[in-house]
Amino acid sequence: MAERKRIELMACAGTGCVAGGAFQIIEALNKELKERGLKDEVSVVPTGCNGFCGQGPLMVVLPDNVFYGWLSLNDIPHLVEEHFLKGRPVKKLMFIPPEKKIPLPLLSDIPFFKKQMLIVLRNKGIIDPEKIADYIARDGYIAIEKALIKKNLDESKHSQLRWWSDVN
Amino acid sequence: MPKLTIDELKKMREASKKGMSLREGNFRGKLIVHLGTCGIAAGAREIMDTFLEELDKRDITDIMFTSTGCAGLCSEEPMITVEIGDSPPIKYGKLTPDKAIKIMNQHIIGGKVIEEFALGMGSERVA
């Protein structure tokens, strides 16, 4: 069995989604994946707030970037079988714009996300906030190199930021 | 607590990155396994495992590996569709793990379509 996961389910565990039952959804997903023997291929990653709280509980399926919203516990077995076992995305759970009534499969097609350019929030929905390794993998803390080595050290001192050696 | 050097931080970053390639989203191509009932019955999961292992072994992270349903050509299963860059998608049928490895080497890595195994060009749309 390959080490790499075939699919990652970025399940929103922000406040809004948790209030809507995200933890129960995550538990149900894990249970269903285990029963279907997909546990080694598909992983569920709890993420911070995705932003589209109005659609919560929600998740984003990677690598395809399929967005599912308003998930309920009853949907999970069908979803796991159809999409993750048989490769057929479930239209019923996709975002349906009120004016068009046609499901939009991909997160990037949804008007809410379409015009967003993430800068500070570029890791939004991509890292597990409880795993520091996820942050480090996405260049976490690496700016210190720029501050201390690549930029002139005086410039850093001039900023009057204090660091370890100052305090000790 | 011992101090962490920047080199150590970078090592940690590279190690952590390994399992997270799906989240980077920089893909130069797409490899789609047909996992409909017919595909699964014909052995698509074995083909899928072969590709996953090969991608893993070669540390290829810029190919999106995904699945789809039945394409309507059940007699040709197990099937895959390969899309590299802007070139039209190529469908391969009646695959075996050996053929899968050849496709991996020649088409996905080498960029050359293996006409002998190819069914044709074209793809159904997602959803």
Side-chain angles (χ1 to χ4, degrees), chain A residues 26-41:
Chain A
I26 291 171
E27 204 186 307
L29 276 169
N30 277 322
K31 188 171 156 252
E32 193 64 31
L33 289 169
K34 200 174 167 194
E35 274 172 21
R36 297 272 177 184
L38 296 172
K39 201 83 189 90
D40 294 330
E41 304 165 15

Side-chain angles (χ1 to χ4, degrees), chain A residues 3-4 41 64 126 145, chain B residues 10 23 45 56 60 66:
Chain A
E3 200 185 316
R4 162 196 314 242
E41 304 165 15
D64 310 66
I126 296 183
E145 182 188 30
Chain B
K10 281 186 178 166
R23 306 185 206 172
R45 293 190 64 82
D56 227 18
I60 297 173
T66 180

Side-chain angles (χ1 to χ4, degrees), chain A residues 3-154:
Chain A
E3 200 185 316
R4 162 196 314 242
K5 301 286 180 195
R6 177 164 66 90
I7 299 174
E8 285 196 297
L9 307 176
M10 312 309 286
C12 180
T15 311
C17 288
V18 168
F23 288 145
Q24 287 86 336
I25 300 278
I26 291 171
E27 204 186 307
L29 276 169
N30 277 322
K31 188 171 156 252
E32 193 64 31
L33 289 169
K34 200 174 167 194
E35 274 172 21
R36 297 272 177 184
L38 296 172
K39 201 83 189 90
D40 294 330
E41 304 165 15
V42 183
S43 67
V44 185
V45 182
T47 73
C49 183
N50 165 288
F52 208 0
C53 308
Q55 287 287 312
L58 60 85
M59 70 175 179
V60 180
V61 182
L62 295 182
D64 310 66
N65 218 15
V66 174
F67 179 94
Y68 289 127
W70 289 340
L71 296 169
S72 83
L73 290 175
N74 299 334
D75 298 328
I76 305 301
H78 178 68
L79 176 65
V80 171
E81 175 172 349
E82 284 296 304
H83 191 163
F84 312 138
L85 186 68
K86 295 186 181 167
R88 291 190 286 248
V90 180
K91 283 186 189 168
K92 191 181 88 168
L93 300 173
M94 290 170 188
F95 175 69
I96 302 170
E99 65 282 6
K100 280 206 186 129
K101 313 260 186 263
I102 303 165
L104 295 175
L106 305 181
L107 176 133
S108 45
D109 289 337
I110 298 173
F112 177 80
F113 295 106
K114 224 174 184 171
K115 290 178 184 159
Q116 292 184 12
M117 190 170 103
L118 302 172
I119 300 171
V120 176
L121 289 176
R122 68 182 194 95
N123 289 328
K124 178 217 74 169
I126 296 183
I127 58 175
D128 178 346
E130 294 188 2
K131 282 196 188 133
I132 199 69
D134 279 17
Y135 176 57
I136 291 172
R138 301 276 300 171
D139 293 339
Y141 304 119
I142 213 77
I144 196 80
E145 182 188 30
K146 196 174 162 191
L148 296 183
I149 298 168
K150 287 189 182 151
K151 284 263 175 184
N152 192 331
L153 198 56
D154 288 337

Side-chain angles (χ1 to χ4, degrees), chain A residues 86 88, chain B residues 33-40 68-81 91-93 119 122-125:
Chain A
K86 295 186 181 167
R88 291 190 286 248
Chain B
V33 180
H34 295 256
L35 279 185
T37 310
C38 48
I40 295 175
T68 186
C70 170
L73 263 170
C74 308
S75 59
E76 296 294 330
E77 296 282 2
M79 265 164 60
I80 59 161
T81 305
K91 277 196 165 54
Y92 291 108
L119 287 172
S123 180
E124 80 278 18
R125 281 160 177 260

